[in-house]
Amino acid sequence: MKKCIILHLSILSAMVNRIDSTDKAKDLIHTLEAQHGALMFYQAGGCCEGTQPQCFEKGGYFPRMNDAMIGLVEGYEFWVDRDLFEYWKHAHFTLDVLEGFGPGGFSLETPLGKTFKVHYRLFTDEELKELSPIKRSE
C-alpha cells in the first residue's frame, strides 16, 4: 500500500500545473490572507465582472455546477467558469497583479488599488499529455 501511495504522489508531482502565479500575485495573496483568512479564486466568463479573476474569502462564492477547479494558487482553489474553461482548457494560466481597479470591484484586492489578471499561453503538445486533473463542482 505504501509503495502505491508513493507512486501515486510521484506521478502527480510529474504532472504539468494548469496555473501558476507571479511573485507579485503571491505577495498580494499573503496580504489578503492576513486580512481575511482563507481565500478562493473564481474567474467568470463575462457579465459585470468581466473575465478578471476574483478573490473571495473561502466560501464567499459558490461555483456553479460543472465549473472547473484548475489548481491551487498558494494553497487556495482557483475556479473557472465552465464555459470559459472549455475555451481555455488548452492554456496555462499565470495569475498576476496590476495596479488600478479591475472591471468588477467585488474582489478583495480592489480596496488596495490592485487587480488580479491572468496571462495565458497555450500548452505544448508534450505538456498536454501530462496535465494535472481538474475538479468539477457538482
Side-chain angles (χ1 to χ4, degrees):
M1 177 72 168
K2 199 174 199 178
K3 277 186 177 181
C4 186
I5 292 171
I6 291 170
L7 178 60
H8 180 68
L9 290 175
S10 66
I11 289 171
L12 286 177
S13 66
M15 301 192 98
V16 173
N17 289 335
R18 294 175 178 271
I19 185 162
D20 288 304
S21 57
T22 65
D23 289 339
K24 284 176 64 174
K26 290 174 186 175
D27 290 344
L28 181 55
I29 290 166
H30 294 295
T31 298
L32 294 173
E33 176 184 47
Q35 292 176 353
H36 302 282
L39 306 170
M40 66 176 292
F41 292 88
Y42 186 80
Q43 187 164 349
C47 187
C48 57
E49 72 279 353
T51 57
Q52 293 292 112
Q54 304 283 303
C55 181
F56 301 99
E57 292 177 0
K58 185 166 179 62
Y61 186 88
F62 297 98
R64 297 177 311 148
M65 184 179 290
N66 214 21
D67 283 347
M69 198 276 288
I70 63 170
L72 301 176
V73 179
E74 293 300 285
Y76 298 115
E77 294 179 344
F78 192 100
W79 289 87
V80 178
D81 170 84
R82 61 187 175 228
D83 297 325
L84 186 67
F85 176 74
E86 288 306 312
Y87 185 79
W88 286 107
K89 66 184 172 186
H90 300 295
H92 179 271
F93 289 50
T94 300
L95 186 64
D96 198 1
V97 176
L98 299 174
E99 297 297 322
F101 296 102
F106 301 114
S107 195
L108 293 176
E109 78 281 1
T110 300
L112 303 176
K114 300 180 184 303
T115 188
F116 284 107
K117 168 153 180 58
V118 170
H119 302 283
Y120 304 96
R121 71 164 177 83
L122 293 179
F123 287 116
T124 66
D125 289 339
E126 291 304 311
E127 288 174 319
L128 286 170
K129 296 175 190 171
E130 302 295 328
L131 285 178
S132 59
I134 62 164
K135 173 183 167 185
R136 295 283 188 169
S137 62
E138 298 177 357

